[in-house]
Amino acid sequence: MLHRRDARMKLLALLAVLVAVATTQPFGLVTASGFAALLGAGLLISRLPVTGVLARAAVVLPFTVTFAGIAWLAGEAGRAFALIAKPYLSALAVLLVVATTPMPALLAAASSLGVPRMLVLVLQFLYRYLFVVAEQAQHMWVAAQCRGAALRTSHRAGRFRAASGTLAVLFARSYEKAEGIERSMLARCFDGRIRLLAPPRLGWRDLALLAFAAVAAWSWRWWVAS
Amino acid sequence: MHIPDGFLSTAVWATAGAVSVPSVAYLARKSHRALDDGQTPLMGVMGAFVFAAQMINFPVGIGTSGHLVGGALLAVTLGPAAASIVMTAILTVQALLFQDGGVLALGANVFNMAIAGVLAGYLPYRYWGGSSHRKAAIFSGGFLSVFVSACLAMGQLLLSGVPMPRPVTYVSLGLFAVSALIEGGITVAVAGALERLNPSWVRAPEEKPRVGLGLILVAAMLLVSLGALFASSLPDGLERLAENLGIAGRARNLFETPLADYQARFLATDWVRKAVAGLVGLGVVYAACMLIGRAVTRRAAVSRSG
Amino acid sequence: MSVLIQASDVRYRYDDGTLALDGVDFQLEEGETVALLGPNGSGKTTFVLHLTGLLQGSGEITVCGMPVRKENFAAIRAKVGMVFQDSDEQLFLPSVLEDAVFGPRNLGLPADQALAHARQALEQVGMAWAVAKAPYHLSAGEKRRVALAGVLAMSPQILVLDEPTTYLDPPTQRELIRLLKELPQAKILVTHDIAFAQALASRAVFFERGKVAALGAIDEIARRYDWRL
Ligand SMILES: Nc1ncnc2c1ncn2[C@@H]1O[C@H](COP(=O)(O)OP(=O)(O)OP(=O)(O)O)[C@@H](O)[C@H]1O
Ligand SMILES: [Mg+2]
C-alpha cells in the first residue's frame, strides 16, 4: 500500500508528522500513544515486518536513554519520558517512509521539492557507490588483518600507521573510481548536465495519504494541547 | 554527535534549519564552480569513502579504538565548500538509512558538522598549512572539526532545556577533547599517507602562511564554541549581560512593535528573547575574540617590522 | 573500403612517469572487427581511451576523417561507443533505464525518443526485464550487458569493447558473440580470450610494452606468442 504512493507526498507527510511530534509540549503517555497509534496504522498498511521495523527504530535508544536517565535523576520524569518517546516515534516515522520508498525515488522527490540539484547528485553518487567502496574497504581490511598477524604483536604506532595507509589506499581507489566514472560519462557525450527522469504524475491516493497523515497528526496535536 | 529528533526545542531546530538551508544552497552553488555536474562523481564517491573509512579502526590505547569522522580530511582534499556539501550528503544518508541523527534535527547536525565543523577543520590549514607548521595545522583542523561540532551540539541540547548537571557537562567536554585529539591524529596520519601516494591530492592552502593569524583564529574558534556551550548552560547570565548592554530590550521592541498589531505575540515569547539574546551574546564574544586577535597580529607585525 | 580510424605514432606518459604508449600505429576499416591482444599492462586500455580523446598524448589520430581534438570530441564520441573494463564505473545512475537513457539524451534526443532507443537497446541485449532495477543489484554479467545497451542506444558507428567477456558465464559469452555478430558496426575488441577473438575478429593487433609488436591473422599471432591456456 504505502510502497506505491508518490515519494514526494510521503516526504511531505513525514515532515507533517515529525513537526507535529516535535512541537507537542508536554509529551506524556497519552499524547505519545495517539502518535503511536497513527504510526502503527501506517506500519500495518505498509506490510513491512512489524517487529523488524520496531527493532530497527530502537537504534536511537542508547543515545536517548542516556539523556533520559540524566533527566530522570535530575527529577524531571516527564521530560525523561519525552526524551525517549519523541525520538523513537520520529525514527519510526522516518523508517516507515524510507523502508517503503527506494532511495532513488526519494532523491528524485527531494529534488522536485527544491533540494539543490548538486546536493541531490552528490547523494545519488554517494548512495550508488556506498556499497562498492565499503566492500572494497572490507576486503582491504580483511587482507590487512591476514597479513597483520605480525603487526598485531607490534606496537600501537605501527598499527596506527598501517590503518592510515589502508585509508590512503582506499582514498586512492575511490579517487580512481571517480575518474573512471567521469570518463565513462564523457565517453557518452556528457555535456555538463545530468538529466534526471521526470517524476511520475500524482494520483488522488497520493494526495489522500498526505492529507490523512497531516490532518490526523495535527488534529491530535491540537486536541491534546487544548 | 548526531542529535536525534525530539531532543531539540522548536526554537533551536527551526533556527538551525533556517541557517543551514540557505548556507547549503550557497555552498552548493559555490562548489558548482565549473558550472557542470562533472565534479559530482568525485564528491559522491568521496562521501562513500568517508562512510567506508569509518569501518576501519585505529588503535588508540587502553584497548579502545577510534575511527575517522572526516570533516577536516575532506576540507583539505576537496576544499571547504565541496567538503561541506559532501558532509551534508553523508549526514543525510545517515539520518535516512541508519537513523543516525534525526530528520528535523538535520538542520542542526548539518550546521554543527558540515558547516561549522568543516570550516573549523579548514581554518588552521588555510592560514598555516603552507608554513613549516603544516602538520600541526592539519592536526588542529582535525581536532577543531570534532571539538567545535560536539560543543555546538551540546550547547543546542542545553539551549533546548535537556537537563544536564554541571559535572556531566564537564565529563562530556573531556570526552569531546579526547575524540577530537583522536580525529586530529588520524587526519594527520591519513593526510601524510595520501601525500606520499600523490602529492596533488592534498590541496595547497589558498592563503600565504600566516601562522599568527592562524593561531589566533584557532583560539577564537575554541573560545567561541566553549563560550557557546557555557552561555547556553547559563542563558540567564548571558541574557543579563545582553540586557545590561540594552540589546535584549531593543530586540524585544523589534519584535513587539511592528508585529503587535497582528497578534503575533508568540514571537515575543520567552524563547525568542532567549534565542536572540543568546545569538547576540555569541556575536559579542566572537567580535571580542576577533578584535583582540586583530590587535595582537597588528602589534606582532609592528614589532617585527620595527 | 574507407578507413574509419587512423592512428599514427601515438605516445602517452601517465603523470607518474609510466610510458604507457610508445609509438602506436593503428588502422580500422569499415565493417571489420579487430582484436587487440597483449599482456597485462601493455597499453591496450590506454590506447582505446585515446580514440575518443579521453586521454591525449602525442601523435595523430583521426576518426571518420576528423582529427581527435577538442572541437571534434562531441561528434567523435557520438560515433564511437565505448564499453569499459569496469561496468561499475559505467553504470552510475540509479536505475538501469536511466542509465540507458543517459547517452541518447546527451545526443540531444527528446525524452520520449531517447526512452524508445534505450528500451530497444535493452531488448537487444536481453535486459529489458530489468529496466527498473538498480545497477548494483545486478550480477556482473548483467551489468556488462546493460553497459553495452547504454552504448548501443546511441547507435554508434564504431564499437570499442574493453574485455567484454570477463565475468560472463559460457552461455552468456556465446550469447554475446551472437549479438555482436549481428551488429553491423566496425568493432575493436580488447580481450585476453583468444576463442572469443577468433569467433568475431578477422585480424589481431598484438601490444607489448606500449608498442604494436605484431599484427595479422589471429591464429598466426596466437601461435607466435604462445597465446593460449
Ligand atoms: N592512471 C594511471 N596512472 C599511472 N599509470 C597507469 C595508469 N593507468 C595505467 N597505467 C599504467 O600504464 C600501463 C598500461 O596500462 P593499460 O591499462 O593501458 O594496460 P592494458 O593493456 O589495458 O592491461 P590489462 O590487460 O591488464 O587491462 C601499465 O603499466 C599501467 O600500470
Ligand atoms: Mg586494460
Side-chain angles (χ1 to χ4, degrees):
Chain A
M1 268 296 272
L2 226 45
H3 286 268
R4 267 185 286 151
R5 296 287 69 79
D6 184 85
R8 284 165 291 181
M9 295 303 113
K10 277 192 268 188
L11 271 185
L12 291 177
L14 173 65
L15 280 184
V17 171
L18 285 181
V19 173
V21 170
T23 55
T24 308
Q25 206 76 279
F27 202 80
L29 191 57
V30 178
T31 316
S33 18
F35 286 116
L38 174 63
L39 293 172
L43 189 54
L44 285 183
I45 61 166
S46 74
R47 303 222 186 96
L48 292 168
V50 175
T51 43
V53 176
L54 292 179
R56 228 357 252 292
V59 299
V60 296
L61 289 183
F63 185 92
T64 61
V65 166
T66 313
F67 282 91
I70 298 173
W72 189 67
L73 287 176
E76 299 192 38
R79 193 184 275 278
F81 176 77
L83 282 184
I84 291 180
K86 275 189 178 184
Y88 185 78
L89 291 175
S90 306
L92 205 57
V94 173
L95 268 177
L96 210 50
V97 170
V98 173
T100 56
T101 321
M103 189 68 173
L106 216 51
L107 292 181
S111 167
S112 59
L113 290 176
V115 175
R117 80 179 255 103
M118 161 133 226
L119 183 58
V120 170
L121 287 175
V122 171
L123 275 163
Q124 217 171 59
F125 279 107
L126 198 170
Y127 181 71
R128 167 68 180 86
Y129 290 99
L130 185 54
F131 302 103
V132 177
V133 178
E135 211 167 282
Q136 208 158 46
Q138 191 103 50
H139 290 323
M140 287 171 59
W141 193 229
V142 171
Q145 302 261 301
C146 292
R147 269 183 279 119
L151 277 178
R152 195 166 316 207
T153 55
S154 78
H155 55 8
R156 195 165 15 180
R159 278 188 291 154
F160 198 91
R161 213 168 308 127
S164 52
T166 310
L167 274 200
V169 174
L170 189 64
F171 183 101
R173 296 254 177 93
S174 310
Y175 211 97
E176 272 165 22
K177 183 129 279 171
E179 277 178 343
I181 297 164
E182 201 185 340
R183 201 174 271 162
S184 89
M185 288 162 74
L186 289 173
R188 284 192 283 165
C189 296
F190 174 64
D191 59 357
R193 243 186 113 68
I194 295 174
R195 294 168 183 81
L196 303 169
L197 283 184
R201 222 173 293 146
L202 289 177
W204 67 268
R205 283 196 191 84
D206 303 314
L207 294 169
L209 170 79
L210 172 60
F212 174 74
V215 168
W218 281 83
S219 47
W220 178 248
R221 184 191 176 287
W222 266 306
W223 191 75
V224 290
S226 61
Chain B
M1 186 158 62
H2 294 56
I3 305 173
D5 279 331
F7 264 70
L8 297 178
S9 63
T10 309
V12 174
W13 67 254
T15 311
V19 174
S20 292
V21 169
S23 311
V24 168
Y26 167 76
L27 289 167
R29 176 156 320 161
K30 189 166 175 197
S31 57
H32 221 181
R33 241 172 322 155
L35 272 179
D36 70 30
D37 300 335
Q39 234 202 332
T40 49
L42 181 62
M43 293 168 65
V45 178
M46 282 302 144
F49 158 77
V50 169
F51 256 100
Q54 300 186 341
M55 294 163 40
I56 289 174
N57 287 318
F58 284 73
V60 291
I62 24 175
T64 51
S65 59
H67 65 73
L68 179 79
V69 176
L73 187 69
L74 285 174
V76 299
T77 49
L78 301 178
S84 282
I85 295 298
V86 174
M87 260 336 232
T88 304
I90 292 172
L91 292 170
T92 308
V93 171
Q94 283 172 333
L96 290 178
L97 294 190
F98 302 98
Q99 276 67 56
D100 201 0
V103 168
L104 286 185
L106 201 52
N109 286 328
V110 163
F111 179 77
N112 300 343
M113 288 184 266
I115 299 174
V118 167
L119 198 67
Y122 187 67
L123 264 188
Y125 186 72
R126 177 180 170 132
Y127 288 107
W128 30 310
S131 72
S132 53
H133 306 292
R134 184 180 174 77
K135 270 198 169 163
I138 296 179
F139 178 86
S140 35
F143 178 91
L144 280 179
S145 66
V146 165
F147 194 72
V148 165
S149 26
C151 285
L152 287 173
M154 191 84 159
Q156 287 154 356
L157 291 183
L158 286 168
L159 259 186
S160 302
V162 175
M164 220 173 302
R166 250 317 136 76
V168 176
T169 316
Y170 289 136
V171 171
S172 320
L173 262 185
L175 290 178
F176 294 163
V178 171
S179 40
L181 285 173
I182 295 173
E183 175 77 2
I186 297 179
T187 308
V188 169
V190 177
L194 271 181
E195 271 185 323
R196 280 192 292 282
L197 278 181
N198 184 343
S200 70
W201 280 335
V202 180
R203 298 176 151 228
E206 288 154 31
E207 292 258 326
K208 290 240 169 61
R210 283 156 82 181
V211 179
L213 187 59
L215 274 176
I216 283 153
L217 281 171
V218 167
M221 206 81 194
L222 269 176
L223 274 178
V224 170
S225 48
L226 282 173
L229 184 52
F230 283 98
S232 42
S233 68
L234 357 130
D236 296 337
L238 200 74
E239 205 176 347
R240 209 164 308 132
L241 172 76
E243 218 136 62
N244 287 346
L245 293 171
I247 298 168
R250 212 165 295 153
R252 198 178 308 145
N253 285 342
L254 194 72
F255 280 108
E256 267 170 354
T257 27
L259 296 171
D261 303 346
Y262 302 99
Q263 290 181 314
R265 282 203 52 84
F266 69 93
L267 262 182
T269 46
D270 216 25
W271 64 258
V272 174
R273 261 200 350 262
K274 271 193 185 156
V276 171
L279 281 177
V280 170
L282 260 188
V284 171
V285 174
Y286 188 75
C289 290
M290 286 304 285
L291 283 178
I292 297 168
R294 194 74 52 81
V296 173
T297 31
R298 192 156 316 138
R299 193 156 328 134
V302 169
S303 66
R304 212 176 306 137
S305 63
Chain C
M1 269 211 200
S2 72
V3 176
L4 288 179
I5 294 179
Q6 175 78 54
S8 58
D9 200 29
V10 180
R11 282 164 207 279
Y12 185 77
R13 195 184 283 281
Y14 280 104
D15 287 340
D16 66 351
T18 317
L19 183 63
L21 296 178
D22 187 11
V24 173
D25 299 307
F26 177 85
Q27 194 166 339
L28 181 77
E29 287 177 1
E30 202 166 314
E32 76 167 338
T33 298
V34 178
L36 300 195
L37 307 176
N40 295 125
S42 55
K44 306 178 297 292
T45 299
T46 308
F47 176 69
V48 294
L49 289 176
H50 277 75
L51 299 178
T52 51
L54 293 170
L55 291 178
Q56 283 187 285
S58 63
E60 276 290 313
I61 305 178
T62 54
V63 175
C64 304
M66 295 175 283
V68 178
R69 263 192 247 120
K70 199 162 171 67
E71 64 265 27
N72 297 329
F73 281 172
I76 289 173
R77 288 172 188 169
K79 287 194 192 301
V80 182
M82 295 207 31
V83 180
F84 288 83
Q85 212 163 347
D86 182 351
S87 339
D88 258 330
E89 287 174 3
Q90 188 155 353
L91 307 177
F92 54 86
L93 282 165
S95 74
V96 165
L97 185 62
E98 270 171 279
D99 210 278
V101 169
F102 178 77
R105 285 290 270 160
N106 286 340
L107 290 180
L109 295 181
D112 50 342
Q113 256 182 56
L115 271 173
H117 282 239
R119 283 183 197 281
Q120 194 198 340
L122 286 168
E123 193 79 54
Q124 235 175 336
V125 299
M127 290 297 296
W129 57 273
V131 282
K133 281 199 85 145
Y136 43 87
H137 290 150
L138 298 176
S139 78
E142 290 166 345
K143 281 183 196 166
R144 235 328 121 68
R145 286 191 275 165
V146 173
L148 178 59
V151 166
L152 289 180
M154 298 172 73
S155 331
Q157 275 186 25
I158 303 165
L159 277 177
V160 179
L161 297 110
D162 199 349
E163 316 221 354
T165 54
T166 41
Y167 303 124
L168 300 187
D169 57 35
T172 314
Q173 289 193 28
R174 266 199 321 269
E175 191 58 27
L176 180 69
I177 292 176
R178 202 184 52 76
L179 171 66
L180 289 176
K181 270 191 174 149
E182 277 172 12
L183 295 172
Q185 285 95 337
K187 298 175 203 78
I188 297 176
L189 309 173
V190 178
T191 185
H192 295 301
D193 181 344
I194 203 82
F196 179 75
Q198 273 167 329
L200 285 164
S202 48
R203 64 187 180 93
V205 175
F206 195 89
F207 276 64
E208 213 169 23
R209 272 177 256 114
K211 287 194 167 79
V212 174
L215 70 183
I218 297 174
D219 285 331
E220 155 68 20
I221 286 182
R223 202 170 317 119
R224 177 145 31 127
Y225 289 92
D226 198 15
W227 212 242
R228 280 169 216 282
L229 282 179

